[in-house]
Amino acid sequence: MVVKINENYLKLKSSYLFVEVARREAEFTKANPDADVIKMGIGDVTKPLVPAVVEAFRNAVDEMGNADTFMGYGPEQGYGFLAEAIIKNDYNKYGIDLDTSEVFISDGAKCDTGNIQEIFGIDNKIAVTDPVYTVYVDTNVMAGRTGEMGDDGMYEGLTYLKCNAENGFVPELPSEPVDIIYLCYPNNPTGTTLTKDQLKVFVDWAKENKAVILFDAAYEVFINEDNVPHSIYEIEGAKEVAIEFKSFSKTAGFTGTRCAYTVVPKELKGYDSEGNEVEINPLWNRRQTTKFNGASYPVQRAAEATYSPEGQKQIAEVVDYYMANAKIIRESLTDIGLEVYGGISSPYIWVKTPNGMDSWAFFDILLNEANVVGTPGSGFGPSGEGYLRLTAFNTLENTKEAMDRISKLEF
């Protein structure tokens, strides 16, 4: 007998996108140790935790150091105090009612969007937008829901919904039967949004076809447009067809602190092999209680503090800071004749590469000639070819410097 591996992992043709970006950056830095490289590729934040969050974090750590207030294992689904704050501040103000049993606190939206596929049958047909956040695709490849990747960069068995300038970055409904659709809005990587009417089309389609929408709303806090929903549950009937993911990473700078949440409404149903309705909420609850021990108590107290009056004010200032960077990037690149998208209700700017060059070639030019790191669009899927993603999460000074360097390049 020999140990058998999960051969689905062998279908993954390239290293994880951001690992490859980091590898090329490290290689360049080693060869050019004096270069001042400005990182605008990975969506990591630069602003520290705001004072209200730090104070709550510190107080909770002090509690953990006192025998009278020490906390051991908490509920795997998260503490009620945080779930209640989430419902009140992120949902009730939009006219959405939820029960705390429908909110699951975790250590990251990346983890949840990757793990959620476990509770669905292996024979479900999956649809993703193209370009796409790679975690949605790779985790389904690992699970065995796809065939091999073809020469066109698409995995056999996946349905790709193109999003590009030609269709205004609004994906069309699937032209073939699918069971699960991943949607991310404001979108990563393109930075574009869907209006309420555009999102309603997908909700109505999912209801009619008994499909499930996995809706990643990690960038909701950056929305600046009135007709763009902050939650899919603003759309009538969405509780019957959608799971929503949100995160404190970009909202409050928790990229290294780790906290997020997933909403699984009680109205959401799936089906067993005999066609019987099955409530999905208990399935995710069982998955979490079996494989997850919950986010730490201090982290959840820190997350709760983001909803305090002081926390809200301080976080709004940070969000405004990043969106000011986004405006600088948009306007600077537009001024030199590049086509840009996003950056209005999102911290991501999607740049069309000049003169038809491919994504990695443009990446290399920016790295080698301007010492600026972006993320090649082709890494997000076939329709990402010919684009490059920049983020607004760096400092104001670095953002201005990066745009100055790029403006001096000749394409």
Side-chain angles (χ1 to χ4, degrees):
M1 297 293 291
V2 294
V3 174
K4 306 295 194 304
I5 63 165
N6 179 351
E7 294 189 24
N8 293 307
Y9 278 68
L10 302 181
K11 298 174 185 174
L12 298 168
K13 295 301 183 185
S14 59
S15 62
Y16 184 57
L17 171 62
F18 300 111
V19 174
E20 176 62 16
V21 169
R23 186 194 69 78
R24 294 198 185 198
E25 177 194 332
E27 189 176 85
F28 174 82
T29 301
K30 182 178 180 180
N32 303 273
D34 296 327
D36 176 20
V37 176
I38 298 177
K39 300 178 182 181
M40 304 180 77
I42 296 176
D44 199 359
V45 296
T46 52
K47 284 288 190 181
L49 300 175
V50 298
V53 168
V54 172
E55 181 181 5
F57 212 161
R58 185 179 291 117
N59 290 341
V61 170
D62 288 342
E63 288 184 61
M64 297 294 280
N66 186 311
D68 294 333
T69 53
F70 171 76
M71 307 286 283
Y73 287 124
E76 294 93 341
Q77 305 89 340
Y79 286 98
F81 63 78
L82 180 53
E84 290 169 3
I86 286 168
I87 293 170
K88 178 182 178 181
N89 293 277
D90 289 348
Y91 291 96
N92 288 168
K93 69 180 180 181
Y94 298 113
I96 302 164
D97 292 321
L98 294 171
D99 187 81
T100 54
S101 63
E102 298 173 301
V103 179
F104 296 82
I105 315 299
S106 75
D107 58 351
K110 176 182 179 181
C111 305
D112 286 353
T113 56
N115 292 329
I116 196 73
Q117 51 80 26
E118 291 183 21
I119 66 174
F120 296 103
I122 197 69
D123 54 350
N124 279 299
K125 181 76 172 176
I126 308 297
V128 296
T129 57
D130 174 32
V132 63
Y133 179 44
T134 53
V135 170
Y136 312 152
V137 172
D138 289 358
T139 51
N140 278 286
V141 174
M142 293 169 180
R145 290 192 183 88
T146 77
E148 299 287 344
M149 178 186 282
D151 293 337
D152 59 0
M154 298 183 183
Y155 282 98
E156 181 186 1
L158 275 188
T159 296
Y160 291 82
L161 310 176
K162 285 188 177 182
C163 295
N164 52 32
E166 284 67 38
N167 62 12
F169 296 95
V170 178
E172 295 181 359
L173 290 172
S175 59
E176 57 190 10
V178 301
D179 304 297
I180 297 170
I181 300 179
Y182 287 81
L183 295 177
C184 174
Y185 288 95
N187 186 256
N188 177 18
T190 67
T192 57
T193 56
L194 292 183
T195 65
K196 291 180 181 179
D197 288 344
Q198 289 167 339
L199 186 54
K200 184 178 186 300
V201 170
F202 279 89
V203 171
D204 291 346
W205 183 92
K207 290 178 66 176
E208 182 179 344
N209 291 273
K210 296 183 178 180
V212 170
I213 297 171
L214 302 179
F215 193 75
D216 187 347
Y219 302 94
E220 167 269 329
V221 73
F222 297 97
I223 292 173
N224 287 310
E225 298 162 283
D226 292 337
N227 63 341
V228 174
H230 289 257
S231 166
I232 194 171
Y233 304 125
E234 291 184 54
I235 311 301
E236 183 179 357
K239 284 186 181 181
E240 300 171 31
V241 296
I243 296 173
E244 183 163 86
F245 308 87
K246 289 190 176 181
S247 172
F248 294 94
S249 286
K250 310 305 193 297
T251 303
F254 274 49
T255 51
T257 307
R258 310 308 301 145
C259 196
Y261 63 88
T262 293
V263 176
V264 187
K266 295 288 183 65
E267 293 96 319
L268 181 64
K269 304 292 196 302
Y271 300 86
D272 65 17
S273 59
E274 297 179 352
N276 300 308
E277 277 193 348
V278 178
E279 193 175 321
I280 290 179
N281 179 285
L283 304 183
W284 184 241
N285 184 63
R286 181 57 189 265
R287 190 270 170 202
Q288 293 299 81
T289 55
T290 301
K291 292 191 173 185
F292 184 56
N293 264 344
S296 76
Y297 173 72
V299 164
Q300 292 190 62
R301 281 297 184 192
E304 179 192 28
T306 67
Y307 297 112
S308 68
E310 299 82 3
Q312 289 284 284
K313 180 177 181 295
Q314 293 162 3
I315 288 170
E317 292 172 355
V318 173
V319 170
D320 288 345
Y321 180 93
Y322 291 137
M323 292 312 295
N325 286 349
K327 182 179 180 181
I328 290 170
I329 297 170
R330 277 183 57 86
E331 293 180 351
S332 298
L333 297 182
T334 300
D335 287 346
I336 63 172
L338 294 178
E339 290 183 39
V340 297
Y341 305 91
I344 295 174
S345 287
S346 166
Y348 293 126
I349 293 83
W350 193 238
V351 188
K352 188 169 181 59
T353 60
N355 303 321
M357 72 175 67
D358 70 46
S359 297
W360 280 106
F362 191 44
F363 170 90
D364 287 336
I365 286 175
L366 293 188
L367 176 60
N368 289 288
E369 299 184 23
N371 303 161
V372 173
V373 177
T375 306
S378 58
F380 296 102
S383 291
E385 181 56 80
Y387 293 90
L388 181 131
R389 191 191 74 175
L390 294 174
T391 82
F393 288 126
N394 215 304
T395 64
L396 174 62
E397 294 74 21
N398 280 348
T399 299
K400 289 181 177 179
E401 173 64 22
M403 293 305 102
D404 182 61
R405 294 180 190 176
I406 293 174
S407 69
K408 294 176 181 176
L409 298 179
E410 293 185 6
F411 300 116

